[in-house]
Amino acid sequence: MLRRIERNLESLVEGVFGRAFRSPVQPVELARKLAKEMDSNKAVSVSRVYAPNEYLLYLSPRDRAQYRQYEEALLVELSAYLIEHAQTQGYALLSRPRILVEEDADLRVGLFGIATRMVEPKRPPKKASTAAPPPPPPPPPAAHVAEDAAVNVEKAPPSNGPAAAVAAAGAGAAAAPFKPVIVGADKRHELAQPVTVLGRSQQCDLVIDDAGASRRHAEIRRADTVCTIVDLGSTNGVHVNGELTAEATLANGDVVSIGRTQLRFEC
């Protein structure tokens, strides 16, 4: 009888201390809960069973802090775990599972939440046609060329007239230099180099202080008067004007989203 009372008291004390001093969330707990949410939120179609491909993790600030140094690698590992789980269960995924993290100050250490969505990925914009332009028409016979030249000389205005000034102004405008820039996140960065790397790493040309950005997230390649943004295999992808894309040619005013950071392209 006394031993039973002692055991009951021990379990009661352990329970109180367990609730009062919860341990931080471990990666294996996140993986198991993500898989459970995938099972709970699957959608049965005619011939397939679809699983969510977007997951939002809500962590307490202290739990988030313990993953700060390797969060990107952890999210990649969790995404791979979900892919393996989906293959084991025979689920269909619309894209590679995307996992985002947000802090919730109302959560205590050891507690976390997960929200899921099923999102159809946007197709990248079609590239401009690279077909060669039609060949120029053949030149007129030599006699006609000489005759036309003589007529042009007779009708040409004086070099110091108003027409010459207009022509000179037009030539100057056509020769205006191409100076593309990226504006946003309290920064204005001129794309002067052939390649500009964007990401969270301090080694990048344009550093983006955003937990949703990968260390080397994307790069902007400049060729003459054309700038192209290319995803470098980032965790959360690159969005141009709200559309997920692996590679896109940028136009004046386009908005590039990396994580929660929005950048505007100007040229």
Side-chain angles (χ1 to χ4, degrees):
M1 183 69 177
L2 291 176
R3 290 184 179 276
R4 186 187 310 169
I5 294 175
E6 287 177 359
R7 285 197 298 270
N8 291 338
L9 288 175
E10 287 176 0
S11 63
L12 177 62
V13 172
E14 289 175 358
V16 171
F17 274 81
R19 290 192 294 272
F21 302 99
R22 289 188 65 90
S23 59
V25 176
Q26 298 300 314
V28 66
E29 296 180 71
L30 297 176
R32 290 171 180 169
K33 184 61 176 176
L34 285 167
K36 186 175 180 180
E37 290 297 318
M38 173 180 280
D39 294 335
S40 300
N41 294 279
K42 63 182 181 292
V44 180
S45 181
V46 177
S47 58
R48 294 184 179 182
V49 177
Y50 291 97
N53 60 335
E54 185 169 290
Y55 299 79
L56 183 56
L57 279 174
Y58 294 94
L59 298 175
S60 69
R62 286 182 57 188
D63 281 323
R64 175 76 181 280
Q66 70 174 328
Y67 304 129
R68 187 76 66 182
Q69 299 301 321
Y70 65 101
E71 182 177 290
E72 183 179 340
L74 175 61
L75 295 181
V76 172
E77 183 181 4
L78 291 175
S79 179
Y81 178 81
L82 287 177
I83 292 176
E84 182 178 352
H85 181 74
Q87 292 174 345
T88 302
Q89 300 298 322
Y91 299 154
L93 292 169
L94 297 177
S95 68
R96 181 184 180 87
R98 182 187 183 198
I99 305 174
L100 302 174
V101 181
E102 281 195 7
E103 292 182 10
D104 189 339
D106 294 332
L107 290 175
R108 292 179 296 169
V109 175
L111 298 178
F112 62 95
I114 299 176
T116 66
R117 286 201 310 166
M118 202 173 299
V119 182
E120 185 173 3
K122 300 291 183 64
R123 295 182 179 180
K126 295 182 179 179
K127 295 183 179 180
S129 175
T130 57
H144 290 177
V145 171
E147 183 178 312
D148 292 342
V151 173
N152 289 336
V153 170
E154 291 176 1
K155 295 183 179 180
S159 59
N160 57 351
V166 173
F178 178 62
K179 293 184 177 180
V181 295
I182 281 288
V183 181
D186 299 326
K187 299 177 183 177
R188 183 179 180 87
H189 186 87
E190 184 175 347
L191 303 174
Q193 302 299 325
V195 176
T196 300
V197 181
L198 294 77
R200 201 174 72 248
S201 171
Q202 295 297 322
Q203 306 300 320
C204 293
D205 302 306
L206 179 55
V207 179
I208 300 177
D209 187 14
D210 189 320
S214 299
R215 294 182 59 80
R216 287 174 56 88
H217 199 102
E219 66 183 20
I220 297 179
R221 302 171 184 173
R222 173 180 174 176
D224 296 329
T225 58
V226 176
C227 287
T228 304
I229 189 165
V230 179
D231 188 356
L232 297 179
S234 64
T235 301
N236 297 323
V238 175
H239 292 75
V240 177
N241 298 327
E243 293 190 1
L244 182 64
T245 180
E247 180 177 341
T249 300
L250 297 175
N252 186 40
D254 280 352
V255 176
V256 177
S257 300
I258 294 179
R260 295 184 176 274
T261 301
Q262 291 192 337
L263 308 170
R264 188 175 68 258
F265 176 77
E266 295 180 357
C267 60

